[in-house]
Amino acid sequence: MRRLGDVLIEQNVMSAESLDAAFASKPRGVLLGDWLVSQKLLSTLQLGRALAEQFAVPYIDIDATAVDAQIARLLPEDFARTRQSGAIKVENRQLILAMVAPDDIETIAEAELMTGYQIKPAVALAEDIEALNCRVYDDRSVARQTIVDMKLAELRELQASGDDVNPSIVSVDQEDAPVVRLVQAILSGAATAGASDVHLEPFKPEMRVRYRVDGELQQVMTIPNHIEESVISRIKVMADMDTTENRRPQDGHLNVYENGKRVGFRVSGIPTVDGQKLVLRLLDEGGKTFSLDGLGMMPRNLASLREMIDKPHGMFVVTGPTGSGKSTTLYAVLQHLNGDDRNIVTVEDPVEYRLPGINQVQSDSEFGMGFANALKYIMRQDPDVIMVGEIRDSETATTAVQAALTGHLMISTLHTNDAVGAVQRLSDLGVDNFKIAGSLLGSVAQRLLRRVCENCKMPVAPNRNLLDALDPDETISRSVDFFRGEGCKKCLGTGFSGRLPIFEIMPITPEITMAIESGVPHSKLYEMSIAAGMVGLANAGLEQAVAGRTSLEEVYFKTSGDRRRTESKPIIGGSREIDTVCV
């Protein structure tokens, strides 16, 4: 078989000199054709034609959306992915098999045994085959196909019986096996997509299924109403919930295994006018680890945080809206403090992750173990560190502050817009200012910003209106390029892939302590915190935008409540030489 380079020279696509230069710069382990395309020395069409000439087989420019998924799934997923092959179509009892290496006799022989068809090999690019397999074996695709299969089976049964039966009336028993596959596909698809929540919402005429990915809800499928009850019942059975109770809210928990890793789901169900609505929160119990270094803090923030939580007693709070990553920060702090010389007790609602060596208590108001009561009992357990999942009411706030003042390290969360707002929130809950001043070690506010997709990232000129709103003092050069994602297959057209955190840490200096005790207003306390070195959420977000990790629009919309004009020193110039974030 001829070499690819020789074919390219024969086809007058490249000269021998340019080919030698490209080959010399090619990294080890990268295929020559892929390297030439990546360096824009060759088009994908030219590469395909050269490969077809090299292997003496047809070249297929695969359109993944045009391939029949049922034919493609004639090959098992593991086989198709590991052998870099994909079943394209059947012609005259021959199965056309797209392959990266169409001279692989062993793969061809095994494919014939598996499918029962004579294999006709064709050559295709690796990225096209991977795109095909991702679409074909994607769990959402399987789920949609399961629904279609259920509808077809129902129609066949009605036609066979000859009865004029309402097609919406179908026995649950008939659907048991397909429903099991459908629910498994929904749960596995959520884990594969990196979703944080799954929403099953009953509407007429179809139930809507949505995943929350990177903080944004995305619809993935709809389920016909006549299947809806079976799907809900299946999830309730798996979560050990009462399948006969549809009028009261219920909670449950279930586990599935995805790629050998256990993924837990916390299930919450409420009745709506159209049926039962379920929300499943993903808990990656098998692979979740917590550490301060893994939070993604800038080194300056990490040093401030360590200084606060390494003190023997006092109160440390994390603030932010729901879904901003507060629980992850709390668990990382607990893991940092965990040791044989400390008795750490938590009270949570619910306990989402199990932390070895830490005593975790499930809050349960029905049995007298709400946050406030649980704190009173924990105080009798000789604790060194206490974590309360959330300070929600006056009694919990008063008890928590009292624990911090009596020699315990108290850690908790509050729902406020910024770090300084923790002081006002505790005051609103009835805690005296002098107690807040005497107990508070520090406050952290955080947000999660969507990360620009690296695959389709492109530089753009900044939106001057947004930049002026976020940076009124012009500490950032207006000539700096920002970035956004164009939208591609890898990010599902959103332009974002993954998330990164930003933090605002309020320091507690002697001057700020005196100001808290004196009851100064929020705005004045914010100005004092900035003067003491605090970097606001908006500026923290701008650092990430200038570094090309997120977009200017994302920073604005996630921190738009934090657009105060401050006299802080410039923290960003025209350079991107800023601290590296590890998330």
Side-chain angles (χ1 to χ4, degrees):
M1 184 177 63
R2 291 181 296 169
R3 296 180 302 177
L4 177 62
D6 295 334
V7 174
L8 292 172
I9 294 173
E10 289 177 11
Q11 293 180 342
N12 295 319
V13 175
M14 295 187 69
S15 66
E17 293 77 12
S18 59
L19 189 65
D20 289 340
F23 191 83
S25 63
K26 181 181 73 69
R28 179 175 296 180
V30 178
L31 295 176
L32 176 61
D34 293 341
W35 177 247
L36 294 175
V37 170
S38 69
Q39 298 302 301
K40 302 192 183 316
L41 299 173
L42 205 65
S43 70
T44 54
L45 181 59
Q46 289 172 323
L47 175 60
R49 289 172 176 170
L51 291 172
E53 179 73 20
Q54 179 187 18
F55 290 106
V57 296
Y59 164 68
I60 297 181
D61 185 8
I62 301 174
D63 180 1
T65 59
V67 176
D68 188 336
Q70 294 284 40
I71 291 177
R73 283 199 288 270
L74 288 171
L75 295 176
E77 179 178 3
D78 289 344
F79 179 86
R81 290 188 185 277
T82 56
R83 302 299 180 90
Q84 291 186 291
S85 59
I88 304 299
K89 60 181 177 180
V90 175
E91 290 181 346
N92 302 322
R93 295 298 301 168
Q94 286 186 325
L95 176 64
I96 297 177
L97 184 66
M99 307 172 67
V100 171
D103 59 343
D104 186 347
I105 304 301
E106 183 179 348
T107 295
I108 293 173
E110 289 187 33
E112 288 182 340
L113 288 174
M114 289 176 179
T115 63
Y117 287 101
Q118 180 183 351
I119 297 299
K120 183 179 179 181
V123 68
L125 302 185
E127 61 183 27
D128 291 343
I129 293 177
E130 177 63 21
L132 170 65
N133 288 334
C134 284
R135 175 185 173 274
V136 167
Y137 299 110
D138 186 281
D139 291 293
R140 284 170 281 181
S141 209
V142 175
R144 293 190 191 99
Q145 186 61 44
T146 301
I147 295 173
V148 172
D149 292 343
M150 293 165 70
K151 289 181 178 178
L152 291 175
E154 173 190 330
L155 290 174
R156 283 195 296 268
E157 183 172 333
L158 291 173
Q159 290 171 354
S161 65
D163 295 333
D164 187 15
V165 182
N166 186 340
S168 66
I169 303 175
V170 183
S171 166
V172 174
D173 290 340
Q174 296 168 2
E175 294 181 350
D176 271 348
V179 163
V180 170
R181 296 199 306 272
L182 175 57
V183 170
Q184 183 64 34
I186 292 172
L187 300 182
S188 297
T192 303
S196 61
D197 301 87
V198 181
H199 292 244
L200 291 92
E201 303 162 309
F203 295 107
K204 303 295 183 184
E206 295 177 318
M207 168 180 272
R208 181 171 63 180
V209 179
R210 296 191 290 175
Y211 293 163
R212 187 178 294 279
V213 181
D214 296 337
E216 303 293 325
L217 282 170
Q218 303 174 5
Q219 181 167 322
V220 294
M221 71 181 77
T222 57
I223 298 175
N225 285 147
H226 70 278
I227 302 171
E228 171 188 321
E229 187 174 341
S230 299
V231 171
I232 296 295
S233 295
R234 171 62 182 169
I235 294 175
K236 283 186 171 182
V237 168
M238 294 175 68
D240 198 22
M241 298 161 69
D242 186 353
T243 58
T244 63
E245 180 55 76
N246 297 322
R247 296 170 297 175
R248 293 188 179 91
Q250 289 190 72
D251 293 315
H253 186 278
L254 62 89
N255 293 310
V256 298
Y257 286 86
E258 179 66 17
N259 296 325
K261 183 172 62 175
R262 187 175 73 171
V263 181
F265 290 82
R266 190 183 73 218
V267 185
S268 173
I270 59 171
T272 68
V273 292
D274 289 322
Q276 285 279 300
K277 179 182 187 298
L278 296 184
V279 175
L280 294 81
R281 166 63 58 90
L282 274 78
L283 310 171
D284 187 358
E285 299 175 348
K288 191 77 172 180
T289 58
F290 301 96
S291 70
L292 292 182
D293 293 332
L295 287 177
M297 282 188 169
M298 294 290 188
R300 62 168 184 270
N301 288 338
L302 192 56
S304 298
L305 178 62
R306 289 181 188 275
E307 184 180 353
M308 291 175 185
I309 62 177
D310 283 338
K311 292 182 179 178
H313 55 81
M315 173 178 274
F316 167 77
V317 293
V318 182
T319 73
T322 301
S324 59
K326 298 188 300 295
S327 295
T328 299
T329 300
L330 285 184
Y331 282 136
V333 168
L334 290 177
Q335 202 73 287
H336 171 75
L337 297 171
N338 193 12
D340 293 336
D341 59 338
R342 284 192 177 102
N343 176 21
I344 303 177
V345 187
T346 75
V347 53
E348 307 169 55
D349 184 22
V351 176
E352 294 189 353
Y353 297 99
R354 307 298 200 274
L355 300 177
I358 293 177
N359 305 285
Q360 296 173 271
V361 177
Q362 172 70 52
S363 173
D364 192 336
S365 298
E366 291 184 12
F367 292 92
M369 283 294 285
F371 283 139
N373 275 344
L375 261 178
K376 294 175 182 177
Y377 290 117
I378 290 171
M379 293 285 286
R380 303 170 190 167
Q381 293 283 314
D382 185 32
D384 297 298
V385 180
I386 304 172
M387 191 272 273
V388 178
E390 182 184 346
I391 296 178
R392 301 173 178 172
D393 52 54
S394 177
E395 188 178 3
T396 305
T398 302
T399 308
V401 170
Q402 193 63 36
L405 290 170
T406 54
H408 304 89
L409 181 60
M410 169 61 63
I411 302 168
S412 190
T413 68
L414 287 168
H415 283 282
T416 65
N417 289 329
D418 55 25
V420 177
V423 175
Q424 184 63 52
R425 178 61 177 153
L426 289 172
S427 180
D428 291 343
L429 290 174
V431 182
D432 295 328
N433 287 332
F434 74 90
K435 290 184 178 179
I436 299 174
S439 62
L440 193 61
L441 297 174
S443 174
V444 174
Q446 65 183 85
R447 298 288 188 276
L448 290 176
L449 306 181
R450 290 183 294 171
R451 187 186 289 271
V452 172
C453 175
E454 293 292 335
N455 192 56
C456 58
K457 183 177 178 180
M458 61 177 293
V460 293
N463 182 316
R464 288 298 298 268
N465 292 333
L466 296 187
L467 190 53
D468 289 343
L470 289 167
D471 182 41
D473 297 321
E474 298 193 10
T475 60
I476 299 174
S477 169
R478 284 346 190 214
S479 63
V480 170
D481 280 337
F482 288 83
F483 291 83
R484 69 174 176 85
E486 267 192 308
C488 63
K489 295 177 183 178
K490 290 187 177 180
C491 63
L492 302 178
T494 64
F496 296 95
S497 179
R499 289 192 287 179
L500 58 90
I502 56 173
F503 299 90
E504 172 185 275
I505 299 184
M506 174 189 177
I508 302 297
T509 63
E511 293 77 19
I512 290 177
T513 299
M514 292 176 61
I516 294 173
E517 189 171 347
S518 302
V520 301
H522 180 278
S523 57
K524 178 62 177 177
L525 200 57
Y526 188 91
E527 291 177 3
M528 294 179 66
S529 299
I530 290 292
M534 183 178 79
V535 176
L537 283 171
N539 280 352
L542 282 172
E543 284 185 294
Q544 301 291 0
V546 171
R549 300 187 184 103
T550 190
S551 69
L552 187 63
E553 291 76 12
E554 180 74 1
V555 174
Y556 179 81
F557 289 118
K558 292 292 173 64
T559 67
S560 57
D562 182 53
R563 301 195 302 274
R564 301 174 184 81
R565 190 179 182 88
T566 65
E567 300 301 324
S568 58
K569 295 181 180 179
I571 56 173
I572 309 174
S575 169
R576 293 203 184 90
E577 297 297 325
I578 69 172
D579 298 324
T580 300
V581 176
C582 175
V583 182

